[in-house]
Amino acid sequence: MENNRSFFKIIKTDDAKDLPLPMRMSQGASGIDLYAKVDGDSIIKCGEVQIIPTGVCVSVPLGYEVQIRPRSGLAAKHGVTVLNTPGTIDSDYRGEICVILINLGKVDYTIKRGDRIAQMVISSVVTMDFIEVNTLDDTERGSGRFGHTGV
């Protein structure tokens, strides 16, 4: 820790040395942009899913996770989003971060090398053990399901 800042260990894969490290685009941003490590253009057709590598591997400290989330501009302008949002990078994973993108837009979308394709957010994780019981405590809601309070 230096100047009250924590550091996160990250490496670039050998074929991603030309790409920038993930970065926040503003001082108050919680999301850290990830870049596409594609060779040439990668076209995601309408309705298609592609796994896009980012060229980075991270060492997530125990007690934390990295959530992979869509970039709002990419989703709003082009209909391209992260399919399993939020994706989770666990603290014991050391492989390359890849992003599962889907094109829900009306036209094909082209991803170029170095395009910002998603963002990662670092979050703390609470872990608990489970214990099987015969009953659960009562609440006012009880077992009310979807929409139980009305529209």
Side-chain angles (χ1 to χ4, degrees):
M1 205 138 125
E2 183 177 296
N3 298 331
N4 282 337
R5 292 188 65 164
S6 297
F7 292 91
F8 208 76
K9 294 179 183 173
I10 188 168
I11 62 170
K12 292 184 196 179
T13 59
D14 288 340
D15 55 351
K17 300 296 184 188
D18 62 311
L19 297 174
L21 283 173
M23 69 177 71
R24 287 183 174 80
M25 298 310 285
S26 70
Q27 186 177 2
S30 59
I32 303 160
D33 285 348
L34 292 168
Y35 299 89
K37 184 195 77 175
V38 293
D39 294 324
D41 293 349
S42 182
I43 298 171
I44 304 178
K45 296 185 180 300
C46 296
E48 186 179 61
V49 173
Q50 278 192 27
I51 298 173
I52 306 294
T54 65
V56 295
C57 308
V58 295
S59 177
V60 180
L62 188 62
Y64 292 88
E65 68 165 330
V66 169
Q67 295 181 1
I68 306 300
R69 300 182 185 179
R71 292 194 62 244
S72 57
L74 197 56
K77 294 176 184 174
H78 305 285
V80 175
T81 189
V82 176
L83 183 60
N84 64 323
T85 190
T88 297
I89 307 299
D90 295 308
S91 64
D92 57 352
Y93 178 69
R94 294 297 182 268
E96 181 178 8
I97 294 176
C98 293
V99 179
I100 305 169
L101 292 180
I102 186 167
N103 182 355
L104 300 174
K106 296 180 179 173
V107 297
D108 296 349
Y109 184 75
T110 301
I111 295 176
K112 297 181 181 310
R113 186 177 185 85
D115 282 355
R116 295 180 293 154
I117 56 166
Q119 57 184 331
M120 59 181 186
V121 174
I122 302 165
S123 300
S124 61
V125 173
V126 175
T127 57
M128 294 183 166
D129 293 323
F130 290 92
I131 181 170
E132 187 175 5
V133 296
N134 292 322
T135 60
L136 299 175
D137 54 313
D138 289 328
T139 66
E140 186 176 326
R141 178 178 180 174
S143 59
R145 293 186 128 193
F146 310 116
H148 77 282
T149 60
V151 179

